[in-house]
Structures are given as structure tokens and as C-alpha cells.
Amino acid sequence: MHEAVDKILVSQEAIMKRCQELGEEISDDYRKKNTVPYVVALLKGSVPFLAELVKHIDLDIQFDFMDVSSYEGTESIGDIKINKDLDCSVKGLSILLVEDIVDTGRTLKEVTKLLKNKGAEDVKVVSLLDKPDRRTVEIEADYVGFEIPNEFVIGFGLDYDQKYRNLPFVGVLKREYYE
Ligand code: 5GP
């Protein structure tokens, strides 16, 4: 195990298995609706999850990336700044938004609102992880990989100070690294 990790919360094997289940569930749901989602992943944390998930989506999808950050320390908390926008217009599209983790829910709420304002027909969310105890705004992902307790996690895309995104599992960061 990596020296920064206190304990493994979700193993690589469990992530692989769950990505397959989610991919199959998503494929079935969209096939029933006769729709192909435009998959939008939020940089950078969702990249490993996206890469594993899309292998199991049995539809002719396209994917695209967005990078957003919140205006922390300003009055407009809750609003988001777009660092990298999508390549195409989303007007009339069914979006499947891919997130690494839903924490307070603010990012998801703002990005969903933004995509709808840009004319998206429908926005569904798939998140690898969910910390329901931390929610401050009312929003839920449509598909969740794993519910986890209120701990700061790293790995499989999730960083601390831009590091540890490449760990193949999700683990709890040792307290001494951030205290
Ligand atoms: P929210 O807007 O839901 O509060 O925050 C979502 C973002 O906060 C995630 O995309 C992620 O970047 C970050 N975040 C929330 N909890 C954790 C965590 O436990 N570990 C890491 N590395 N990032 C987190």
C-alpha cells in the first residue's frame, strides 16, 4: 500500500466490477429511451473512472471534457468558473455527466444548471463516489458507484495537492499529510 494511504476504502477489483455494472445499467437505460448520451467528464478527477466506465457502455457515444472551479473567497460562492468549455453545442442533447465524487453537491448543481441553460435536453449524472453525509444542496447522482463515509479520499482520479490520482484504488489519506 502507498505510504500516504491510511486504509483502502474501495479496491481496484471492486471498482472494475462496479464500472462494468454501471456501464451495463446505463446502456440498458438509454437503449430503452432510444437515446445515445453525450458523455461529459469533469477534469481532472473523473478521467480514470471515465476510461473504465466507457469500455462497458455499449452505445455509439461521444465524450467531451469540461474543467470548472468555484469562485472561492468571493461573494458568488456557488457560481462556477469555466476553465475549459465543451467542444460542441449541447443544444438538444442528452448529457451524461461523469463525476469523481459528489460531496456538498454544489459543483454538480451548478454544472447541471449551466448545461440546461446551454440548451441540453436532459442531464443525468454518474459519480464514482458519493458522500451523502456532506450534502449541503439538494442534488443526487442518478448512478453511484460507491457511497463512502465522510473521509478525505485519494486515488482513482482523486488528488491531494494534484498528487495520488494514479493510485488504482480509493483510499483514505493519512491525516498527517494535511494536518
Ligand atoms: P462538491 O461541489 O460536491 O462539494 O465537490 C466536488 C469536488 O470536490 C470533487 O469533484 C472533488 O474534486 C472534491 N472533493 C470532494 N471530496 C473529496 C475527497 O474526499 N477527496 C478529494 N481528493 N477530493 C474531494
Side-chain angles (χ1 to χ4, degrees), residues 64-110:
D64 199 349
F65 299 93
M66 254 181 118
D67 183 19
V68 300
S69 51
S70 54
Y71 290 104
E72 273 167 51
T74 73
E75 284 295 294
S76 57
I77 200 145
D79 278 0
I80 49 165
K81 181 169 141 239
I82 301 174
N83 304 317
K84 188 228 167 276
D85 208 346
L86 297 170
D87 292 341
C88 304
S89 159
V90 295
K91 211 165 190 313
L93 297 182
S94 289
I95 306 283
L96 178 66
L97 194 59
V98 182
E99 249 290 39
D100 50 2
I101 187 165
V102 190
D103 187 34
T104 64
R106 265 186 289 171
T107 309
L108 212 57
K109 184 137 195 174
E110 293 299 322

Side-chain angles (χ1 to χ4, degrees), residues 107-123:
T107 309
L108 212 57
K109 184 137 195 174
E110 293 299 322
V111 175
T112 303
K113 192 168 81 187
L114 184 92
L115 292 169
K116 287 199 172 145
N117 286 344
K118 282 171 173 260
E121 164 104 13
D122 175 56
V123 182

Side-chain angles (χ1 to χ4, degrees), residues 99-108 131 134 148 151-154 158-160:
E99 249 290 39
D100 50 2
I101 187 165
V102 190
D103 187 34
T104 64
R106 265 186 289 171
T107 309
L108 212 57
K131 277 190 206 168
R134 290 261 307 160
I148 60 165
E151 307 230 47
F152 191 84
V153 292
I154 52 170
L158 290 137
D159 74 306
Y160 175 65

Side-chain angles (χ1 to χ4, degrees), residues 9-179:
L9 271 192
V10 192
S11 70
Q12 182 172 9
E13 295 69 35
I15 296 172
M16 301 293 111
K17 183 166 173 279
R18 190 73 186 115
C19 284
Q20 177 167 357
E21 290 168 0
L22 285 173
E24 288 171 1
E25 191 184 341
I26 288 167
S27 306
D28 283 350
D29 288 355
Y30 280 91
R31 213 175 282 117
K32 275 185 208 137
K33 292 191 282 186
N34 214 7
T35 310
V36 176
Y38 190 70
V39 178
V40 172
L42 295 183
L43 293 171
K44 301 170 187 167
S46 68
V47 171
F49 177 45
L50 172 81
E52 190 54 37
L53 179 71
V54 292
K55 291 187 210 166
H56 304 288
I57 300 184
D58 184 22
L59 302 165
D60 291 331
I61 55 162
Q62 298 180 40
F63 55 76
D64 199 349
F65 299 93
M66 254 181 118
D67 183 19
V68 300
S69 51
S70 54
Y71 290 104
E72 273 167 51
T74 73
E75 284 295 294
S76 57
I77 200 145
D79 278 0
I80 49 165
K81 181 169 141 239
I82 301 174
N83 304 317
K84 188 228 167 276
D85 208 346
L86 297 170
D87 292 341
C88 304
S89 159
V90 295
K91 211 165 190 313
L93 297 182
S94 289
I95 306 283
L96 178 66
L97 194 59
V98 182
E99 249 290 39
D100 50 2
I101 187 165
V102 190
D103 187 34
T104 64
R106 265 186 289 171
T107 309
L108 212 57
K109 184 137 195 174
E110 293 299 322
V111 175
T112 303
K113 192 168 81 187
L114 184 92
L115 292 169
K116 287 199 172 145
N117 286 344
K118 282 171 173 260
E121 164 104 13
D122 175 56
V123 182
K124 296 268 184 282
V125 178
V126 55
S127 182
L128 174 64
L129 304 171
D130 185 12
K131 277 190 206 168
D133 295 348
R134 290 261 307 160
R135 204 75 87 254
T136 58
V137 297
E138 224 176 278
I139 189 148
E140 295 306 327
D142 301 275
Y143 306 93
V144 171
F146 303 91
E147 275 195 10
I148 60 165
N150 182 14
E151 307 230 47
F152 191 84
V153 292
I154 52 170
F156 217 81
L158 290 137
D159 74 306
Y160 175 65
D161 213 10
Q162 296 302 327
K163 288 186 291 192
Y164 315 123
R165 295 190 194 275
N166 57 320
L167 295 177
F169 53 80
V170 174
V172 177
L173 179 66
K174 277 187 187 157
R175 284 192 171 268
E176 66 221 51
Y177 276 69
Y178 59 92
E179 274 181 350

